[in-house]
Each structure stands twice: as structure tokens, then as C-alpha cells.
């Protein structure tokens, strides 16, 4: 009897082994099922958290900042926007600093318009000096352009020229600082500012060393471009913002104030002591105004 008992204890029958195998298999299935349920619950939780985050913080879910397109003017280049670009890029704005050809109002505006067509979503179009004439003509019915920002820029009416506007009120001394024109193969003329006079005329509130670099890298505009009549102005149908220096010697402050009032400017800022290149000497103020235009409804 004792041996039989030992046999029962140490040598279980086959049906007991079978039941144990079934039990192990069921436990495995249950564990796998629980694991799958946990994974599904975790995934659902992540989806819910992401969805709630998008609802509660739409700015993070989808950044709808407009693209800021900056157009430089005569005797400048795209690098003149570097200070402003640094501010805007840091805040997440998509940006494009166009290399303005400076050949003619219509042709330059057509070139900028071709760039605008490839941009999806809202656009803030910014123009400095002669670049203001260009953006005035570049919108051309593009519904994505939601705002115009004139940075010491021309905002001409139909038929007006940059030269005529700059002389509307006294104060411009640009003509006296121009170097002898350079003849072009097509019969036109390129205009430059004399390097020795560039600092005082164009960028008086910029350090001398910086102004010397700007003078050496200045981009010429054709005489024809500055004397070409403007087409129908975009500022009549697109909201505008203006900023300029009250010591601008290229376009007198009185001309800037006149153009801003005529265009129905949403916000006009005259920066005390600033020269014609207010975007270089006061990038914070210019970037801030662009942000105001970008945020406007």
C-alpha cells in the first residue's frame, strides 16, 4: 500500500498530465489576450491624448503661420533682411527673401508673382524702398496674399513712379549721391550710390564698417525701373502696414506719411532717428510689425 501510494504521488497518470497541459495552454492564451488588450488600451490612450492635445492646443497641432516674403529694394540685396529673418525664423515663420532683379517694375513684379504662385497658404508680402513698388504690383489677384508691409517702401498709385514720389515733398538727396550711370548693352543704364557717400545717404544709423560692406555689395537698379509707371495698386484691396525712419534721405518722411495715409494703413510706425535701412538698424521693430500684419484677421 505504501509503494502504491508512492507510485500515485511520484508517477501521476496520463490523464493528469493531459489536464496540466490543457491548463498551461489556457493560461498562455489568457496571458497573450491580456497582453494584446493592454497594448490596444495603451495605443488608444496615446491616440486620445494626441487628439485632446490637438483640440486643446491647435497651435501645436497645426502651425498656420503665413509665409513671409521679403523683397529688397534698389542699392540693397537679400542679405539686408538678415536681422528681420532671424527674428521671424526663430518664431517659426516660413520665410523667403527674394532676389529682386531691379530691372523694371512690371518685370520684377511678374517675377515675384511667379514665386508667390508656388506658395501654399496665406502670405505676408514685405517690400523695402523700390521693393514697395514691386509688391504693389506683384499681388495680381493672388488671394493668398493677406497683408502688405511697406518698410521704408514706395506705395505708388496707378501711373506714379518711384522718382516722382520721392520728390513729392522736399528732403531726398539721393540724386546728388549717385555715381555716373553704367551703360548697358540694351541702351539702359544701371545706377549705383557712390561708395564714399553710401553711409551718410543710405545707412547713417548703421555702423561704418557694416555700411562699407553694404556699399561694396549694393545691387544696382536701372534708371528705367525707378522711372517706370506703376500699375493698379494692391494696397487698395489688400490691408497694409507701414514703417519708416524719420531721417530717411532717400524717401522723405513726409512722403512715407502721405503714402501710408492714402493706403489706409492699419498701423504706421515712424522710427525716430532711423535711416532708409530701418530693417537693418531696427530689425526688432520691423519684425514686430510684420508679426502684427501676420496675426491680423
Amino acid at each position: 500500500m505504501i509503494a502504491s501510494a508512492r507510485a500515485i504521488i511520484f508517477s501521476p497518470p496520463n490523464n493528469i498530465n493531459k489536464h496540466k497541459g490543457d491548463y498551461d495552454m489556457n493560461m498562455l492564451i489568457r496571458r497573450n489576450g491580456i497582453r494584446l488588450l493592454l497594448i490596444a488600451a495603451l495605443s488608444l490612450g496615446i491616440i486620445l491624448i494626441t487628439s485632446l492635445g490637438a483640440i486643446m492646443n491647435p497651435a501645436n497641432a497645426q502651425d498656420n503661420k503665413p509665409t513671409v516674403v521679403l523683397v529688397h529694394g534698389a542699392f540693397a540685396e537679400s542679405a539686408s533682411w538678415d536681422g528681420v529673418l532671424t527674428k521671424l525664423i526663430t518664431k517659426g515663420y516660413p520665410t523667403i527673401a527674394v532676389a529682386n532683379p531691379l530691372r523694371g517694375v512690371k518685370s520684377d513684379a511678374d517675377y515675384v508673382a511667379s514665386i508667390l504662385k508656388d506658395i501654399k497658404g496665406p502670405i505676408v508680402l514685405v517690400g523695402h524702398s523700390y521693393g514697395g513698388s514691386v509688391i504693389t504690383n506683384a499681388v495680381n489677384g493672388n488671394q493668398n496674399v493677406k497683408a502688405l508691409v511697406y518698410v521704408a517702401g514706395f506705395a505708388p498709385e496707378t501711373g506714379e513712379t518711384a522718382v516722382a514720389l520721392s520728390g513729392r515733398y522736399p528732403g531726398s538727396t539721393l540724386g546728388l549721391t549717385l555715381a555716373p550711370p553704367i551703360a548697358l548693352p540694351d541702351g539702359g543704364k544701371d545706377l549705383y550710390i557712390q561708395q564714399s557717400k553710401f553711409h551718410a545717404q543710405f545707412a547713417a544709423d548703421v555702423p561704418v564698417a557694416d555700411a562699407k560692406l553694404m556699399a561694396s555689395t549694393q545691387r544696382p537698379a536701372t534708371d528705367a525701373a525707378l522711372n517706370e509707371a506703376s500699375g493698379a495698386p494692391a494696397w487698395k484691396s489688400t490691408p497694409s502696414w507701414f514703417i519708416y525712419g524719420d531721417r530717411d534721405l532717400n524717401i522723405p518722411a513726409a512722403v512715407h506719411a502721405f503714402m501710408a495715409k492714402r493706403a489706409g494703413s492699419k498701423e504706421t510706425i515712424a522710427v525716430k532717428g532711423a535711416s532708409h535701412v530701418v530693417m537693418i538698424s531696427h530689425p526688432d521693430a520691423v519684425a514686430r510689425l510684420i508679426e502684427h500684419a501676420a496675426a491680423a484677421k
Side-chain angles (χ1 to χ4, degrees):
M1 291 296 294
I2 295 174
S4 298
R6 287 176 180 172
I8 292 172
I9 294 171
F10 295 107
S11 300
N14 289 336
N15 64 329
I16 293 179
N17 288 333
K18 179 178 181 300
H19 291 160
K20 184 177 184 300
D22 291 342
Y23 174 81
D24 291 340
M25 181 61 69
N26 289 335
M27 288 299 294
L28 180 61
I29 291 171
R30 288 176 183 174
R31 286 172 183 169
N32 286 339
I34 292 171
R35 187 180 294 110
L36 289 173
L37 285 173
L38 288 173
I39 292 172
L42 180 60
S43 299
L44 181 60
I46 292 171
I47 292 171
L48 287 173
I49 291 170
T50 302
S51 301
L52 286 172
I55 294 170
M56 299 299 292
N57 193 359
N60 289 338
Q62 184 176 2
D63 193 346
N64 289 321
K65 283 185 170 66
T67 299
V68 179
V69 178
L70 306 108
V71 182
H72 67 81
F75 319 117
E77 57 171 348
S78 297
S80 61
W81 296 112
D82 283 358
V84 174
L85 284 168
T86 299
K87 308 294 181 184
L88 296 176
I89 292 171
T90 299
K91 294 191 176 182
Y93 285 92
T95 57
I96 298 173
V98 177
N100 189 359
L102 305 176
R103 301 295 87 186
V105 174
K106 186 179 186 308
S107 62
D108 294 342
D110 288 346
Y111 173 69
V112 172
S114 69
I115 294 173
L116 300 180
K117 287 179 182 178
D118 289 333
I119 298 174
K120 295 180 180 180
I123 299 168
V124 174
L125 191 53
V126 185
H128 170 245
S129 192
Y130 165 79
S133 295
V134 174
I135 68 169
T136 297
N137 290 268
V139 176
N140 197 24
N142 188 326
Q143 297 300 312
N144 283 345
V145 180
K146 63 173 290 185
L148 301 170
V149 181
Y150 291 89
V151 180
F154 288 111
E157 173 63 278
T158 303
E160 289 181 338
T161 69
V163 169
L165 266 175
S166 63
R168 185 181 182 94
Y169 296 101
S172 176
T173 56
L174 176 62
L176 300 174
T177 66
L178 294 177
I182 295 178
L184 300 173
D186 63 0
K189 297 177 181 177
D190 259 349
L191 302 178
Y192 289 87
I193 296 176
Q194 297 176 54
Q195 290 193 25
S196 62
K197 298 180 179 179
F198 190 95
H199 183 219
Q201 174 62 38
F202 201 72
D205 57 344
V206 171
V208 174
D210 293 342
K212 286 183 177 180
L213 289 174
M214 292 167 60
S216 297
T217 59
Q218 63 178 296
R219 294 270 308 285
T222 64
D223 179 70
L226 300 181
N227 285 282
E228 183 178 339
S230 179
W235 48 258
K236 285 190 174 181
S237 56
T238 305
S240 59
W241 283 254
F242 285 71
I243 185 169
Y244 59 90
D246 69 357
R247 296 188 66 182
D248 188 337
L249 298 181
N250 277 32
I251 308 172
V255 177
H256 288 301
F258 162 76
M259 292 186 294
K261 183 178 180 180
R262 180 175 67 178
S265 173
K266 297 292 184 182
E267 184 178 358
T268 302
I269 299 175
V271 181
K272 187 175 181 180
S275 70
H276 187 57
V277 291
V278 64
M279 70 287 193
I280 296 176
S281 58
H282 294 81
D284 287 335
V286 173
R288 188 161 49 247
L289 186 66
I290 292 172
E291 288 188 74
H292 291 177
K297 302 298 183 182

